[in-house]
């Protein structure tokens, strides 16, 4: 295969290679010892060396070298494992290149020419491999060439797919092609001599819509912050809309929230993304959501089949999905019949004899002496072989794990201790008891010891007994455990409320937390040991919220319950530091502890936070906000009359945030809310959406008549507080502190009756009216709405950055906003097309702690030296044609602005520099230029610039005041006071900066200063006058410096009547340079000339992409 040319200093080092064929420019060599029949000692040694090396370090036995006559340096341009492959490359070089090389007079040009040809061949091979993955390789190859030709993006901008379509401008359609790449969508049209083309980065897409109008049957509308584009006339609009949504979602998660949102490993490598990968990823996301599998599960086989369902006494057709650790089956109609079989429960997977009635049967046997029969499997043999291979690997891992655990168990006593509850009272020595409880893991659910006093106890017990009998009947018919059949019948049982005696078991079963517990024996115990006693921000927040978790329940009025809650939350924060602890987790954990053993409660919390509610509990609760936005769209879809009467649905959807985060535990009476949790563990997030829609539907008439948001909130709160259950038949009254209680009697007499809904009826109604809501539809909506949520967070980040910078600069707000966009785009370009190291560095620089006391990260874009230099060239106000010297000045400017010496420049520092150039007076501009030519900005070695030690204009004072070591109890000032103090400090620093004299400039530094001035004047309309003026000023300053130097020398010692001259003593001050420059009107006019920053920004936006893309391409080629 062709290789990127790699330098070889010694063509035949250590006699490891034998030349087989050669000419003036190329050598074909064979690795010594390969293919030799004789047993020469050298060949044997080389062969032994190649055998010992691992597969990554082994050298291919054949290679082709490029050699330049008279040079000791050669380049490896091709290699191969077989002589036939290398001979094909050799023949191509002879027939296509060798004759052309003889015309070159300069032999160095030969090397450049051949290396360029080889790189072109490699690029062609890459295109070929990429095209081969598509359904129509030749057409895709042609489209790839057009994409590169039309838009000029770097070769690393991978094209994913393309579609023929129309782009509309008003009522005028333009037929062309829509190209979708990993970072951009691009459109090209050429009709009747008119060319139309544009590129939209995914990072700028804010919303995607499908619309229907009179002119178009259906179109896709892509919204950005500046405008919107409409595309139609697709052959398969559904597919295009899905692919656009996926690519935008993946790009935004990778670019805007790489630290917070989970992204599949394949999608973290954009070069591997293809249309097929997107299809597989969409299916994988659907399967993970449908069966609530761990996020790390990979999807393998997808096969149509039928499963024998004993309860129906027939085969049910559907789809089998196989993952790393699971077999999953779903009927054709989603939700009718679902089956989840963990491979840890499987004993064997065998093929049975095929018959006419049972074609291609497979028997899956599990530990509980049950078996499942699957028929009508295509490619049965390959499927069974693959499953058995994974099953054997899993069983081997389990046996090894158990062996190690047994060995460890025999060497140490089991700690912490397991205990039962014997009483609910407080110990006389409460502090000692609490210390013991901190390290004691409970082996029973808290509900076994702590019971709330409920009205109608006898009736409740009889109802519980009825439910238990119904569940026992269900178990005997449908099975018990994770692998039981899940049908509409179990849905009805769950809606009634799971009996307390079975609730913990069924939560573990329905969520499959039981498999995690089984495969991680002792994990929770070790986490408790590691985490307890450690102090962190998460543990401080946990301690603050412990007593706010179900404060009315007796279990959490007792040190035992509080200690168990502390252990579970602290252990999870230790397990998953990316989430740590988030408010509402304490409420969830409290309810889990009531009905499940402590270790089970921990794994249930893991299931909720990491599988069932993904991205809900990260630092910005992105997942919850996405579902809030999805809920708003579902209201429009399913409750159109309500949406028509309430145009702004944001107020209604915002209420859902607390509903979803706490699974309705914070808004419903306790026993009713627990029934919702039952449904959640059975149906996942779908249950929350359905119940939320049912609540709004039940109150639609009153909500439609509302005049303000507060009234709507009161209606919903009142309704939810009155929802009862069989466990609490009499509706609970509102808390005394609530205004609802005060108005209860008057409301009863009003025209609007109080309806005390029953939670079971409400849940059944949600199933009847909204049960057709599918997981697939929810996942598609999540993909689209995640784009809107991430972009809203990005807008907030921008507003915060501009708000902090605006008081420091005089740049108009609209221009400052555009400068921020340029600054951010420069960061994104490095993520698009930089190498892996620069991408990692850029991402690491973008995330920083705002303050050491904050528990969250804030995205703050920063530029490294190459990125800054690119923007410098685009925005610097003077023309200048000396690229080399402009690069030098840009380096010095970066060093000066790098205040915290981390080789990164913040937007605030960048805006301060730009403000000086465009908005400050002449003396400040000269002052900046002066500082660029004295240390630390200027050093004798420009390649290794010193770092700046003092700030230029602004202060780094944070908006959150750090506490002194002995002042922990002091209250932090509010935000406005901090902002005022920061502005006062900034003003003081500016005063100090004006009054403090700058260091003197020596002669060498002054010469560099003059060179910069000369480079600034190239291309100016008054170039000749400026050159003459600067020559006059230079002469004047040199005379002033010389006079000062002579005066300094005359005051010293004299030898033989001659002064001792030291060049280092020649100095000039900033005031002298400024005064000299003011003597020339041409220079004054030049520095005082107004430059339109807005026009400069517009030019920069047009040039930024192409210029930066070209620079990155050159860097890659040179490397």
């Amino acid at each position: 295969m062709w290789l990127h040319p790699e330098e070889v200093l010694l063509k035949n080092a250590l006699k490891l290679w034998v030349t087989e064929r050669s000419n003036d420019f190329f050598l074909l060599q064979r690795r010594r010892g390969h293919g030799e029949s004789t047993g020469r000692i050298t060949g044997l040694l080389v062969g032994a060396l190649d055998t010992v090396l691992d597969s990554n370090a082994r050298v291919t036995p054949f290679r082709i070298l490029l050699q330049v006559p008279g040079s000791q340096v050669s380049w490896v341009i091709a290699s191969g494992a077989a002589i036939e492959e290398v001979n094909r490359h050799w023949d191509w070089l002879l027939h296509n290149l060798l004759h052309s090389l003889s015309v070159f007079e300069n032999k160095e040009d030969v090397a450049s020419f051949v290396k360029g040809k080889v790189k072109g061949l490699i690029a062609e091979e890459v295109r070929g491999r990429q095209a081969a993955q598509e359904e129509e390789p030749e057409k895709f190859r042609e489209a790839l060439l057009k994409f590169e030709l039309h838009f000029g993006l770097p070769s690393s901008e991978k094209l994913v797919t393309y579609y023929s379509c129309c782009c509309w401008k008003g009522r005028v359609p333009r037929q062309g092609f829509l190209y979708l790449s990993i970072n951009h969508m691009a459109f090209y049209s050429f009709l009747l001599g008119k060319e139309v083309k544009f590129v939209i980065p995914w990072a700028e897409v804010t919303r995607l819509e499908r619309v229907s109008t009179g002119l178009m049957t259906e179109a896709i509308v892509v919204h950005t912050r500046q405008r919107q584009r409409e595309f139609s006339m697709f052959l398969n609009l559904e597919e295009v809309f899905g692919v656009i949504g996926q690519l935008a979602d993946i790009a935004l998660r990778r670019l805007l929230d790489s630290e917070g949102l989970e992204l599949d490993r394949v999608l973290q490598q954009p070069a591997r993304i293809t249309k097929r990968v997107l299809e597989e990823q969409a299916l994988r996301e659907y399967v993970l959501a449908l069966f609530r599998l761990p996020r790390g599960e990979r999807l393998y086989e997808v096969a149509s089949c039928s499963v024998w369902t004993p309860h129906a006494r027939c085969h049910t057709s559907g789809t089998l999905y196989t993952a790393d650790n699971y077999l999953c089956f779903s009927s054709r109609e989603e939700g009718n019949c679902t089956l989840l079989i963990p491979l840890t429960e499987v004993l064997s997977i065998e093929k049975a004899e095929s018959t006419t009635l049972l074609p291609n049967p497979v028997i899956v046997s599990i530990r509980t002496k049950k078996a499942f029969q699957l028929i009508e499997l295509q490619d049965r043999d390959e499927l069974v072989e693959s499953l058995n291979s994974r099953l054997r690997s899993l069983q081997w891992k389990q046996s090894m794990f158990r062996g190690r655990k047994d060995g460890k168990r025999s060497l140490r006593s089991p700690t912490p201790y397991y205990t039962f509850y014997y009483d609910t009272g407080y110990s006389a020595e409460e502090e000692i008891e609490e210390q013991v409880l901190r390290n004691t893991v409970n082996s029973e659910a808290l509900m076994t010891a702590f019971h709330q006093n409920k009205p109608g106890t006898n009736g409740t017990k009889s109802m519980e007994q009825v439910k238990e009998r119904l569940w026992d009947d269900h178990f005997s018919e449908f099975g018990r455990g994770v692998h039981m059949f899940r049908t509409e019948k179990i849905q009805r049982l769950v809606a009634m409320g799971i009996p307390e005696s079975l609730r913990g078991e069924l939560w573990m079963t329905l969520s499959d937390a039981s498999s995690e517990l089984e495969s991680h024996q002792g994990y929770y115990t070790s986490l408790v040991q590691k985490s307890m006693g450690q102090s962190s921000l998460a543990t401080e927040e946990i301690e603050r919220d412990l007593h706010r978790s179900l404060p009315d329940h007796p279990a959490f009025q007792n040190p035992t319950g509080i200690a168990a809650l502390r252990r579970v939350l602290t252990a999870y924060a230790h397990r998953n530091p990316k989430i740590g602890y988030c408010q509402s987790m304490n409420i969830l954990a409290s309810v889990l502890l009531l009905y499940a053993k402590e270790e089970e409660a921990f794994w249930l919390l893991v299931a909720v936070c990491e599988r069932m509610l993904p991205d809900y509990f990260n630092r910005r609760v992105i997942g919850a906000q996405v579902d809030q936005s999805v809920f708003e769209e579902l209201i429009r879809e399913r409750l159109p009359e309500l949406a028509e009467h309430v145009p702004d649905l944001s107020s209604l959807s915002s209420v859902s945030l607390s509903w979803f985060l706490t699974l309705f535990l914070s808004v419903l009476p306790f026993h009713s809310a627990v029934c919702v949790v039952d449904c959640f563990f059975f149906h996942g997030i779908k249950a929350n959406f359905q119940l939320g829609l049912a609540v709004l539907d039940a109150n639609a008439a009153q909500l439609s008549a509302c005049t303000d948001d507060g009234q709507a909130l009161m209606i919903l709160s009142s309704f939810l507080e009155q929802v009862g259950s069989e466990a609490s038949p009499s509706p609970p009254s509102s808390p005394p502190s609530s205004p609802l209680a005060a108005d209860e009697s008057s409301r009863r007499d009003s025209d609007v009756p109080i309806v005390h809904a029953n939670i079971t009826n409400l849940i059944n109604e949600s199933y009847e009216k909204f049960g057709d809501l599918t997981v697939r539809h929810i996942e598609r909506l999540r993909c689209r709405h995640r784009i809107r949520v991430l972009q809203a967070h990005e807008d907030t980040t921008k507003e915060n950055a501009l708000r902090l910078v605006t008081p420091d600069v005089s740049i108009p707000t609209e221009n400052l906003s555009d400068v921020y966009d340029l600054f951010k785009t420069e960061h994104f370009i490095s993520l698009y097309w930089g190498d892996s190291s620069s991408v990692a560095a850029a991402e690491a620089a973008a995330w920083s702690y705002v303050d050491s006391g904050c528990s969250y990260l804030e995205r703050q874009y920063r530029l490294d030296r190459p990125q800054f230099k690119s923007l410098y060239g685009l925005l610097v106000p003077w023309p200048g044609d000396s690229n080399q010297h402009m690069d030098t000045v840009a380096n010095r400017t970066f060093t000066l602005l790098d205040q915290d010496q981390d080789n990164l420049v913040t937007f605030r520092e960048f805006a301060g520099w730009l403000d000086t150039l465009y908005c400050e007076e002449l003396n400040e501009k000269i002052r900046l230029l002066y500082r660029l030519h004295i240390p630390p900005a200027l050093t004798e070695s420009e390649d290794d610039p010193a770092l700046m030690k003092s700030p230029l204009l602004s202060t780094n004072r944070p908006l959150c005041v750090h506490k002194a070591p002995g002042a922990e109890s002091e209250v932090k000032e509010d935000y406005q006071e901090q902002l005022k103090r920061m502005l006062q400090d900034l003003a003081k620093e500016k005063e100090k900066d004006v009054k403090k004299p700058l260091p003197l400039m020596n002669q060498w530094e002054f010469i560099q200063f003059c060179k910069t001035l000369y480079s600034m004047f190239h291309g100016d309309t008054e170039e000749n006058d400026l050159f003459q003026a600067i020559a006059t000023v230079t002469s004047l300053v040199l005379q002033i410096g010389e006079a000062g130097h002579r005066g300094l020398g005359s005051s010293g010692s004299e030898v033989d009547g001659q002064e001792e001259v030291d060049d280092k003593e020649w100095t000039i001050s900033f005031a002298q340079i400024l005064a000299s420059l003011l003597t020339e009107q041409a220079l004054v006019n030049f520095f005082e000339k107004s430059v339109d920053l807005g026009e400069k920004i517009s030019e920069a936006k047009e040039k930024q992409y192409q210029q930066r893309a070209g620079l990155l391409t050159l860097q890659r080629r040179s490397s």
Side-chain angles (χ1 to χ4, degrees):
M1 61 179 177
W2 298 107
L3 302 175
H4 284 282
E6 183 179 348
E7 223 174 66
V8 179
L9 295 179
L10 298 175
K11 290 181 287 185
N12 206 10
L14 302 178
K15 303 292 183 181
L16 297 178
W17 295 89
V18 178
T19 300
E20 296 283 334
R21 302 169 70 177
S22 65
N23 54 47
D24 291 342
F25 297 100
F26 303 105
L27 298 174
L28 192 156
Q29 295 184 331
R30 171 180 54 82
R31 185 77 164 172
R32 190 178 293 280
H34 183 83
E36 293 181 355
S37 57
T38 57
R40 294 167 125 186
I41 186 65
T42 308
L44 291 174
L45 288 173
V46 175
L49 175 66
D50 290 342
T51 304
V52 169
L53 292 174
D54 60 48
S55 58
N56 294 325
R58 287 177 191 164
V59 180
T60 52
F62 299 97
R63 71 179 186 181
I64 297 176
L65 297 182
L66 164 66
Q67 63 173 1
V68 176
S71 174
Q72 292 298 314
V73 178
S74 299
W75 292 268
V76 181
I77 58 173
S79 67
I83 186 64
E84 294 79 12
E85 179 185 6
V86 179
N87 277 335
R88 284 199 301 271
H89 290 343
W90 179 267
D91 293 340
W92 189 91
L93 291 170
L94 294 184
H95 291 105
N96 294 281
L97 282 189
L98 189 60
H99 298 296
S100 304
L101 300 182
S102 58
V103 302
F104 285 94
E105 296 181 1
N106 186 351
K107 300 305 179 185
E108 292 180 0
D109 293 340
V110 172
S112 300
F113 177 74
V114 174
K115 286 191 284 186
K117 281 289 185 183
V118 170
K119 290 179 180 178
L121 290 171
I122 293 172
E124 194 69 20
E125 283 185 352
V126 170
R127 292 194 195 99
R129 285 197 298 270
Q130 186 177 346
Q133 298 175 357
E134 303 299 325
E135 295 177 358
E136 299 178 329
E138 290 303 320
K139 288 186 177 180
F140 188 85
R141 188 188 187 90
E142 182 182 349
L144 185 59
L145 289 171
K146 288 181 178 178
F147 175 69
E148 294 177 353
L149 176 66
H150 294 325
F151 304 103
L153 299 177
S155 58
S156 56
E157 182 63 24
K158 179 177 167 54
L159 179 66
V160 176
T161 188
Y162 67 99
Y163 298 96
S164 173
C165 68
C166 276
C167 177
W168 292 77
K169 184 177 182 181
R171 296 177 178 269
V172 180
R174 294 187 176 88
Q175 183 66 35
F177 283 91
L178 181 67
Y179 299 89
L180 306 179
S181 67
I182 53 178
N183 298 306
H184 304 83
M185 65 182 300
F187 178 79
Y188 182 84
S189 172
F190 187 82
L191 287 176
L192 302 176
K194 187 173 183 179
E195 181 183 59
V196 176
K197 66 177 179 180
F198 56 82
V199 176
I200 303 174
W202 295 124
E204 291 298 317
V205 174
T206 58
R207 193 165 84 250
L208 298 174
E209 287 183 309
R210 287 176 62 173
V211 298
S212 297
T213 65
L215 294 174
M216 305 169 278
T217 55
E218 202 166 16
I220 297 173
V221 182
V222 179
H223 295 263
T224 65
R225 291 180 175 85
Q226 287 76 34
R227 61 178 305 169
Q228 64 182 43
R229 301 278 189 179
E230 296 182 6
F231 303 93
S232 66
M233 305 298 183
F234 293 101
L235 292 177
N236 189 341
L237 186 135
E238 184 74 29
E239 175 191 310
V240 179
F241 191 62
V243 172
I244 290 176
Q246 272 188 282
L247 286 171
D249 175 47
I250 291 167
L252 290 176
R253 280 195 280 173
R254 179 169 51 86
L255 297 171
L256 299 185
D257 206 1
S258 61
E259 293 291 316
L261 295 178
E262 296 294 337
L263 197 60
D264 189 68
R265 195 179 308 160
V266 175
L267 303 180
Q268 291 173 356
Q269 303 171 0
R272 296 178 59 183
I273 296 176
T274 62
K275 185 180 175 183
R276 187 177 304 170
V277 167
L278 291 178
E279 293 170 354
E280 293 172 354
Q281 185 64 19
L283 180 60
R284 176 180 173 274
E285 292 286 342
Y286 166 67
V287 172
L288 293 183
L290 179 62
F291 298 97
R292 276 92 67 192
L293 301 182
R295 308 302 294 174
E297 287 290 310
R298 290 171 296 178
L299 188 63
Y300 288 95
E301 295 88 7
V302 179
S304 298
C305 70
S306 295
V307 172
W308 175 254
T309 48
H311 57 275
R313 302 192 179 280
C314 66
H315 283 92
T316 301
S317 60
T319 306
L320 176 71
Y321 305 95
T322 69
D324 286 313
N325 299 290
Y326 293 91
L327 293 177
C328 310
F329 173 82
S330 177
S331 57
R332 286 182 179 175
E333 187 174 347
E334 184 183 296
N336 277 358
C337 181
T338 306
L339 182 63
L340 181 66
I341 307 175
L343 286 180
T344 53
E345 297 289 320
V346 175
L347 292 177
S348 64
I349 302 174
E350 301 171 316
K351 293 179 288 185
E353 184 179 352
S354 182
T355 64
T356 305
L357 295 176
L358 301 175
N360 297 331
V362 172
I363 307 299
V364 179
S365 303
I366 60 174
R367 289 183 187 177
T368 55
K369 298 181 181 180
K370 289 181 61 177
F372 297 92
Q373 184 188 72
L374 291 76
I375 63 172
E376 299 174 349
L377 279 163
Q378 299 295 326
D379 302 322
R380 177 183 67 163
D381 296 344
E382 292 83 355
L383 176 64
V384 171
E385 183 180 352
S386 173
L387 286 172
N388 276 320
S389 174
R390 294 205 297 278
L391 182 61
R392 286 192 297 269
S393 174
L394 186 63
Q395 290 172 344
W396 178 82
K397 289 179 181 177
Q398 283 182 318
S399 63
M400 294 294 293
F401 176 76
R402 286 172 184 157
R404 287 199 301 269
K405 294 298 291 183
D406 292 341
K408 291 180 179 178
R409 207 170 284 140
S410 63
L411 294 175
R412 65 184 184 188
S413 61
T415 55
Y417 307 100
Y418 287 80
T419 184
F420 289 88
Y421 296 112
Y422 295 104
D423 60 77
T424 60
Y426 287 86
S427 169
E429 300 177 354
E430 188 173 337
E431 293 184 4
I432 298 176
E433 179 186 4
E434 184 164 342
Q435 288 299 320
V436 173
L437 288 173
R438 280 176 180 266
N439 298 301
T440 305
V441 175
N442 303 320
S443 61
E444 291 297 329
L446 292 177
M447 192 61 80
T448 60
F450 301 98
H451 295 277
Q452 279 183 305
N453 296 323
K454 302 185 293 289
T457 304
N458 293 332
T460 302
K461 284 184 178 179
S462 61
M463 180 61 69
E464 288 289 301
Q465 291 170 356
V466 171
K467 290 181 182 179
E468 288 172 2
R469 284 197 299 271
L470 290 173
W471 275 99
D472 288 338
D473 295 340
H474 183 273
F475 291 147
S476 62
E477 187 177 1
F478 292 85
R480 188 167 190 163
V482 177
H483 40 69
M484 68 180 172
F485 288 98
R486 308 179 190 195
T487 64
E488 291 183 352
K489 185 175 180 180
I490 194 174
Q491 173 180 302
R492 291 193 293 271
L493 289 176
V494 171
M496 293 171 59
I498 298 174
E500 288 189 359
S501 59
L502 295 174
R503 185 162 271 147
E505 175 194 341
L506 283 170
W507 284 358
M508 293 290 290
T509 296
L510 296 174
S511 66
D512 191 37
S514 54
S515 296
E516 294 281 344
L517 173 61
E518 178 67 23
S519 59
H520 293 84
Q521 292 291 331
Y523 176 80
Y524 175 67
T525 304
S526 64
L527 268 186
V528 171
Q529 291 176 332
K530 293 175 184 175
S531 61
M532 295 308 292
Q534 294 188 6
S535 179
S536 65
L537 191 59
T539 59
E540 292 175 7
E541 293 176 348
I542 289 169
E543 289 296 327
R544 187 171 61 244
D545 288 347
L546 283 177
H547 295 278
R548 303 175 185 172
S549 309
L550 301 184
D552 296 332
H553 199 286
F556 300 101
Q557 297 169 354
N558 187 290
T560 304
I562 295 296
L565 181 59
R566 177 187 292 111
R567 285 192 297 272
V568 169
L569 293 175
T570 306
Y572 185 78
H574 190 78
R575 164 190 165 87
N576 192 342
K578 183 176 282 190
I579 291 178
Y581 171 76
C582 178
Q583 283 189 347
S584 78
M585 285 173 65
N586 59 320
I587 299 175
L588 291 176
S590 301
V591 175
L592 299 177
L593 281 167
L594 288 176
Y595 296 101
K597 300 174 184 178
E598 184 175 324
E599 188 170 8
E600 293 175 345
F602 170 79
W603 286 110
L604 284 170
L605 185 64
V606 170
V608 171
C609 295
E610 298 177 12
R611 292 194 275 123
M612 305 184 74
L613 296 177
D615 301 323
Y616 258 60
F617 300 99
N618 59 20
R619 66 183 178 278
R620 297 189 291 180
V621 292
I622 295 290
Q625 293 183 52
V626 171
D627 282 350
Q628 180 184 337
S629 184
V630 169
F631 186 61
E632 185 175 333
E633 180 159 338
L634 288 175
I635 296 173
R636 291 192 178 91
E637 288 181 4
R638 300 307 181 98
L639 302 173
E641 293 182 1
L642 177 62
E644 184 179 348
H645 286 91
V646 186
D648 184 11
L649 293 173
S650 59
S651 58
L652 293 181
S653 63
S654 62
V655 178
S656 67
L657 187 62
S658 63
W659 296 357
F660 294 168
L661 272 174
T662 64
L663 305 182
F664 287 85
L665 288 165
S666 63
V667 292
L668 283 172
F670 176 76
H671 292 285
S672 301
V674 173
C675 293
V676 176
V677 178
D678 295 339
C679 297
F680 170 75
F681 278 115
F682 178 66
H683 268 306
I685 192 62
K686 174 184 170 182
N688 286 7
F689 284 123
Q690 290 177 174
L691 186 61
L693 290 171
V695 170
L696 295 181
D697 185 48
N699 296 274
Q702 297 180 60
L703 292 173
S704 299
C706 284
T707 55
D708 56 61
D709 296 345
Q711 188 179 356
L713 180 61
M714 289 288 291
I715 291 171
L716 292 175
S717 300
S718 176
F719 175 82
L720 291 169
E721 287 173 358
Q722 304 300 321
V723 175
S725 68
E726 286 83 356
S728 54
S730 60
S733 60
S734 300
S737 60
S738 172
L740 295 172
D743 299 337
E744 184 70 23
S745 58
S746 61
R747 293 179 57 144
R748 289 181 188 273
D749 299 332
S750 64
D751 295 335
V752 180
I754 298 289
V755 179
H756 299 301
N758 180 278
I759 187 63
T760 301
N761 296 337
L762 189 62
I763 291 173
N764 284 327
E765 186 178 342
S766 73
Y767 284 141
E768 291 171 7
K769 291 187 176 181
F770 310 106
D772 58 338
L773 181 64
T774 63
V775 173
R776 191 183 298 275
H777 184 53
I778 292 172
E779 286 303 305
R780 288 174 178 169
L781 290 178
R782 279 176 163 178
C783 181
R784 282 170 42 206
H785 285 271
R786 193 181 293 112
I787 296 170
R788 299 175 65 175
V789 171
L790 287 175
Q791 291 289 20
H793 278 275
E794 194 67 11
D795 290 340
T796 302
T797 300
K798 178 179 178 179
E799 290 171 6
N800 291 338
L802 295 180
R803 177 174 49 81
L804 290 175
V805 171
T806 301
D808 299 344
V809 298
S810 303
I811 300 175
T813 305
E814 59 275 11
N815 287 347
L816 191 62
S817 176
D818 291 338
V819 171
Y820 181 91
D821 292 338
L822 285 172
F823 196 85
K824 184 175 74 171
T825 301
E826 194 64 36
H827 168 81
F828 282 156
I829 288 174
S830 291
L831 298 185
Y832 296 156
W833 306 314
D835 56 26
S836 57
S837 60
S838 65
V839 169
E843 268 302 278
W847 294 98
S848 64
Y849 280 100
V850 179
D851 181 72
S852 58
C854 292
S855 60
Y856 62 92
L857 286 165
E858 182 180 273
R859 194 167 183 83
Q860 181 182 6
Y861 299 111
R862 305 178 182 205
L863 301 186
D864 60 14
R865 193 176 295 269
Q867 294 167 334
F868 174 81
K869 286 160 65 175
S870 174
L871 271 189
Y872 179 95
L874 291 170
L875 293 177
V876 73
W878 43 78
D881 63 353
S882 176
N883 291 330
Q884 183 175 358
H885 194 74
M886 179 180 287
D887 187 75
T888 302
V889 177
N891 268 320
R892 296 172 188 163
T893 307
F894 179 86
T895 303
L896 190 65
L897 296 180
D898 183 17
Q899 297 184 13
D900 48 7
Q901 303 181 9
D902 59 356
N903 288 320
L904 295 167
V905 168
T906 65
F907 175 68
R908 187 173 185 173
E909 294 162 345
F910 184 83
W913 165 75
L914 208 61
D915 181 63
T916 303
L917 296 184
Y918 283 92
C919 302
E920 291 288 354
E921 297 178 354
L922 177 146
N923 60 336
E924 289 299 324
K925 296 177 183 179
I926 303 301
R927 184 182 181 83
L928 174 60
L929 287 173
Y930 184 91
R931 299 191 68 172
L932 290 176
H933 296 85
I934 57 175
L938 178 67
T939 60
E940 294 185 4
S941 173
E942 292 285 353
D943 296 331
D944 184 22
L947 295 174
M948 180 179 173
K949 297 179 182 177
S950 59
L952 173 62
L953 289 176
S954 61
T955 176
N956 276 340
R957 184 181 186 88
L959 282 180
C960 188
V961 181
H962 294 278
K963 291 182 180 179
E968 290 295 327
S969 60
E970 292 182 7
V971 180
K972 290 184 179 180
E973 300 171 14
D974 69 352
Y975 177 79
Q976 294 296 331
E977 289 297 321
Q978 294 177 48
L979 186 60
K980 288 178 182 178
R981 178 168 294 191
M982 187 196 73
L983 295 175
Q984 291 172 1
D985 291 351
L986 182 62
K988 291 178 181 178
E989 285 193 17
K990 285 190 174 182
E991 289 179 6
K992 291 178 182 177
D993 195 42
V994 171
K995 294 177 182 179
K996 188 175 75 172
L998 291 170
L1000 298 178
M1001 181 181 285
N1002 64 34
Q1003 193 172 42
W1004 178 77
E1005 292 165 352
F1006 176 68
I1007 292 171
Q1008 301 303 313
F1009 180 84
C1010 294
K1011 287 174 65 176
T1012 299
L1013 291 178
Y1014 273 104
S1015 69
M1016 289 166 53
F1017 303 148
H1018 283 288
D1020 193 273
T1021 54
E1022 305 293 332
E1023 182 177 343
N1024 291 334
D1025 293 340
L1026 289 169
F1027 281 154
Q1028 186 175 356
I1030 194 59
T1032 303
V1033 169
T1034 302
S1035 176
L1036 177 60
V1037 172
L1038 286 172
Q1039 292 176 16
I1040 294 172
E1042 189 65 27
H1045 175 50
R1046 290 183 179 277
L1048 181 63
S1050 62
S1051 63
S1053 59
E1054 296 184 3
V1055 180
D1056 297 332
Q1058 294 184 357
E1059 299 177 12
E1060 182 178 337
V1061 178
D1062 186 353
D1063 289 340
K1064 293 183 181 179
E1065 295 177 357
W1066 190 101
T1067 56
I1068 197 75
S1069 70
F1070 166 69
Q1072 291 170 327
I1073 290 180
L1074 178 61
S1076 302
L1077 288 171
L1078 291 174
T1079 61
E1080 292 294 330
Q1081 190 61 40
L1083 295 176
V1084 173
N1085 294 339
F1086 176 82
F1087 283 109
E1088 289 187 341
K1089 181 170 58 178
S1090 176
V1091 180
D1092 187 353
L1093 178 58
E1095 184 179 343
K1096 199 73 176 178
I1097 291 172
S1098 299
E1099 294 175 2
K1101 286 181 177 180
E1102 295 178 3
K1103 297 178 182 177
Q1104 185 178 26
Y1105 250 61
Q1106 301 302 327
Q1107 175 178 308
R1108 187 74 172 133
L1111 288 173
L1112 287 170
T1113 303
L1114 288 174
Q1115 290 173 10
R1116 286 195 163 206
R1117 287 177 179 172
S1118 62
S1119 60

